[in-house]
Amino acid sequence: MYISGAEIVIACLKEQGVDTVFGYPGGAILNLYDALYKHSDEIRHILTSHEQGAAHAADGYARATGRPGVCFATSGPGATNLVTGIATAYMDSIPVVAITCNVGVSLLGKDSFQEIDIAGITMPITKHNYIVKDVTKLAETIRKAFCIAQTGRPGPVLVDIPKDITAEKTDYKPAKIESIVPIPEDISEKEIEKAVSMINKSRRPYIFVGGGAVLSGADKELMEFVNKSDAPVTDTLMGKGAFPGTDKRYTGMLGMHGTKTSNYGVSGCDLLIVVGARFSDRVTGNTKKFAKNAKILQFDVDEAEMNKNVIITEGVTGDIKEVLKKVNEKLKQQSHPEWMNKIQEYKRKYPLQYHESVLSGPFIVEEIYRQTKGDALIVTEVGQHQMWAAQYYQYTKPRTLITSGGLGTMGYGLGAALGAKTGCPEKLVVNIAGDGCFRMNMNEIATAVRYQIPVIQVVVNNHVLGMVRQWQDLFYEKRYSSTVIEDAVDFVKLAEAMGAEGIRVTTREEFEKAFTRALELNRPIVIDCQIDSDEKVWPMVAPGAAISDVFDESDMKQE
């Protein structure tokens, strides 16, 4: 076929099985949108309210489905508006392919109208990126982009195409795209033997699960491994759902806002088995005091993560699913009754607690869990509400918590919720936001209404930047510098102005009724939940402290 560069891009997307693209058109990308118009019955385009919303939607689509998310943007400010979304995907290892179009090849490097070196800008926050200056190399480049985004440790790839390349024509030959699968033979048998030996010798093992277990689809293998190891399980924010939060071995999240059980347990174990986690500072606290009594065994697809933040004893490099398969084959049944009893005692002694007489963040999350029966895709923004969503919703399946972990992107959730619902239309999708986060990308409510994407937007509205204020309260002598949001913004009227339903609630009973109504409506809705400004996330570890120094409200009252 002799077709244009723009038509080649669309043909390559169809090869990859892409069914949805999120984006925003502009002058430099017009040829691509013109080609997309001719294939609108095969590839759905969602016009977001802002390019950042498109990047987050592509990210949410990828997290929910496991398939690469795709977003389009034009040159200059259109491309730069994708940057935060690309960085968010990069930090959490999410496969996103961002396609931008630039000024013509002859205009590059001349400060032309809406010209920007988007490849240079995104180099540190992509797995790889390209600028295609030869139309004959375009199809090959698009195919490479999708392969790189999904191979090994996933991540975003950007392809920048000058406008004249989208207009030029060349011969195009369709290609059959093979499924990308991990190669078990790449895993060292010697490393597996060492890992099994360490587990056999351990008397107090603890399994620490991260996002890698979710990305590799290793939940079944992980369950077998946990049962064989007879060990308690903790996780990161990104690892939620890889191991069921309802299982008796599960002890809650680890780290700054982890449970006392997990923090004390990891601090007292003799072997920490790390399954697809990268030792974020929010998990480890003071690295010199982290799991200081334990040997550390790490499983990760990315060898660069070994000994990066925490010095480990041994590591196995490979896809988590394949590593666990090999370990499970060789590992004999373990039994640690004394250790497991001690952990269960911790769980009984240190449960999560909150004030049950008023409308609060934890209550809102627990009520969402009760009414959805734990069978929803929960999306969050970043802050206190994010931690409550991690603590109080029990995730039993992978890819059911969609949140910005590494970058901590405020404004992420609503766009991601639209992407998740588009990719999984049969799933109930709830985005939980703080009022500060909601303001950042609340314009995407208009997108939800335009396409009738029935997401439930819950705003935990404390009229402050909650997590920052919490730090100011605890560590800055209550100097609330620029964290109090005192204005007349009405989220209910805002929702109605954009064509959505809006409900304000101030009590637990009102929220119960409002969320029930949201489930019945099956259309975009915003529930504005008024809670106290001084509500805090407990437990907590102070910055720079050991995770064993975890404290909560009851500890502060005893001081």
Side-chain angles (χ1 to χ4, degrees):
M1 289 187 289
Y2 192 69
I3 56 176
S4 70
E7 290 168 325
I8 288 172
V9 172
I10 301 303
C12 287
L13 295 182
K14 288 161 61 178
E15 284 179 357
Q16 299 289 338
V18 173
D19 57 17
T20 306
V21 171
F22 306 90
Y24 208 99
I29 201 171
L30 269 178
N31 290 334
L32 194 49
Y33 269 85
D34 191 53
L36 182 63
Y37 180 84
K38 300 169 187 175
H39 296 272
S40 57
D41 58 333
E42 298 166 282
I43 299 176
R44 184 186 188 192
H45 181 269
I46 302 292
L47 175 66
T48 54
S49 298
H50 190 285
E51 288 93 351
Q52 186 178 139
H56 293 328
D59 175 302
Y61 178 99
R63 295 190 201 225
T65 65
R67 305 190 300 272
V70 181
C71 56
F72 285 177
T74 195
S75 63
T80 58
N81 281 342
L82 294 179
V83 169
T84 298
I86 292 171
T88 300
Y90 181 74
M91 288 290 281
D92 291 342
S93 304
I94 306 302
V96 169
V97 176
I99 297 176
T100 57
C101 288
N102 217 320
V103 299
V105 173
S106 64
L107 296 174
L108 291 172
K110 297 181 179 179
D111 293 333
S112 304
F113 178 68
Q114 291 193 332
E115 178 200 355
I116 201 76
D117 178 12
I118 192 62
I121 288 171
T122 59
M123 190 174 291
I125 55 167
T126 51
K127 275 190 76 175
H128 200 76
N129 63 28
Y130 300 90
I131 179 165
V132 185
K133 299 180 182 180
D134 182 347
V135 71
T136 64
K137 297 180 180 178
L138 183 54
E140 176 189 3
T141 303
I142 297 289
R143 290 165 186 153
K144 283 182 180 178
F146 276 89
C147 182
I148 291 169
Q150 300 172 83
T151 303
R153 181 177 184 169
V157 178
L158 179 133
V159 181
D160 191 34
I161 312 167
K163 184 173 183 177
D164 50 348
I165 301 302
T166 65
E168 288 182 15
K169 292 187 175 183
T170 190
D171 284 319
Y172 163 77
K173 293 181 180 179
K176 185 179 180 182
I177 305 301
E178 300 293 335
S179 298
I180 296 171
V181 293
I183 305 172
E185 290 73 21
D186 288 348
I187 300 169
S188 166
E189 288 298 326
K190 186 177 181 181
E191 290 178 353
I192 294 291
E193 293 287 354
K194 286 181 180 178
V196 171
S197 175
M198 289 179 72
I199 298 168
N200 285 336
K201 293 175 182 177
S202 172
R203 294 295 172 262
R204 301 188 309 280
Y206 221 113
I207 298 171
F208 172 39
V209 180
V214 173
L215 295 172
S216 69
D219 47 307
K220 291 180 181 178
E221 292 75 13
L222 179 61
M223 177 61 80
E224 181 183 348
F225 176 65
V226 170
N227 288 333
K228 272 196 165 185
S229 301
D230 191 30
V233 180
T234 182
D235 58 15
T236 67
L237 186 66
M238 302 309 301
K240 291 287 177 187
F243 187 79
T246 52
D247 193 281
K248 65 179 181 179
R249 298 183 191 276
Y250 180 69
T251 62
M253 195 164 59
L254 182 69
M256 179 172 282
H257 292 294
T259 63
K260 284 188 173 182
T261 299
S262 293
N263 285 6
Y264 291 157
V266 166
S267 298
C269 71
D270 66 1
L271 175 64
L272 183 63
I273 307 166
V274 186
V275 183
R278 60 181 183 84
F279 294 113
S280 161
D281 57 293
R282 289 298 173 100
V283 162
T284 63
N286 188 327
T287 53
K288 293 179 181 178
K289 298 179 180 179
F290 178 73
K292 62 181 180 181
N293 300 311
K295 293 181 178 180
I296 298 178
L297 171 63
Q298 185 175 6
F299 303 156
D300 206 284
V301 73
D302 187 354
E303 191 173 7
E305 289 297 337
M306 309 288 184
N307 298 307
K308 187 177 83 173
N309 296 330
V310 170
I311 301 302
I312 66 171
T313 310
E314 296 289 348
V316 181
T317 303
D319 178 81
I320 296 299
K321 187 182 184 78
E322 299 302 321
V323 169
L324 289 177
K325 280 182 183 178
K326 288 181 174 290
V327 171
N328 288 338
E329 287 173 2
K330 296 180 181 295
L331 184 64
K332 295 179 181 179
Q333 181 63 50
Q334 306 294 300
S335 179
H336 308 105
E338 187 176 340
W339 174 235
M340 290 303 298
N341 286 338
K342 183 172 184 177
I343 296 302
Q344 293 302 320
E345 184 181 334
Y346 278 154
K347 288 176 70 173
R348 289 189 292 271
K349 188 175 180 181
Y350 304 116
L352 291 172
Q353 298 181 67
Y354 64 91
H355 300 288
E356 297 188 0
S357 60
V358 296
L359 182 65
S360 66
F363 170 80
I364 290 167
V365 174
E366 283 197 333
E367 182 62 19
I368 292 172
Y369 177 78
R370 186 185 71 80
Q371 292 204 34
T372 61
K373 300 179 174 60
D375 189 25
L377 296 185
I378 301 298
V379 187
T380 80
E381 304 285 350
V382 171
Q384 288 181 317
H385 63 277
Q386 179 188 35
M387 294 298 100
W388 289 323
Q391 292 173 328
Y392 290 95
Y393 198 97
Q394 299 181 68
Y395 302 91
T396 58
K397 298 174 184 175
R399 301 190 182 280
T400 50
L401 175 62
I402 296 171
T403 191
S404 171
L407 197 63
T409 305
M410 292 177 70
Y412 165 82
L414 186 49
L418 297 179
K421 183 64 176 178
T422 303
C424 300
E426 75 288 355
K427 290 286 188 180
L428 175 67
V429 176
V430 182
N431 182 44
I432 304 174
D435 49 316
C437 290
F438 182 57
R439 290 162 179 265
M440 290 196 171
N441 269 335
M442 59 189 178
N443 50 0
E444 297 303 342
I445 289 292
T447 309
V449 173
R450 182 186 307 120
Y451 293 100
Q452 282 303 297
I453 304 172
V455 295
I456 299 174
Q457 171 65 65
V458 175
V459 183
V460 183
N461 189 353
N462 54 10
H463 299 278
V464 294
L465 301 179
M467 188 61 84
V468 186
R469 178 188 166 93
Q470 178 167 332
W471 281 46
Q472 289 173 333
D473 196 326
L474 297 174
F475 310 120
Y476 290 84
E477 299 178 338
K478 300 181 187 278
R479 294 187 294 273
Y480 302 130
S481 178
S482 301
T483 52
V484 179
I485 306 174
E486 293 179 334
D487 54 31
V489 175
D490 185 325
F491 292 149
V492 172
K493 290 182 179 178
L494 182 93
E496 292 171 350
M498 292 188 182
E501 181 94 1
I503 304 176
R504 181 175 295 104
V505 300
T506 59
T507 67
R508 291 156 59 106
E509 293 75 20
E510 287 176 351
F511 179 74
E512 289 174 10
K513 292 178 182 177
F515 197 79
T516 300
R517 175 166 172 74
L519 294 177
E520 294 169 350
L521 275 179
N522 196 37
R523 62 182 292 250
I525 185 170
V526 176
I527 306 175
D528 179 14
C529 308
Q530 304 281 320
I531 73 164
D532 190 272
S533 298
D534 287 321
E535 189 80 26
K536 291 182 175 60
V537 178
W538 300 114
M540 183 173 186
V541 176
I547 60 170
S548 56
D549 294 330
V550 58
F551 65 96
D552 58 23
E553 192 172 22
S554 63
D555 297 315
M556 293 191 69
K557 288 178 180 178
Q558 293 172 13
E559 292 180 355

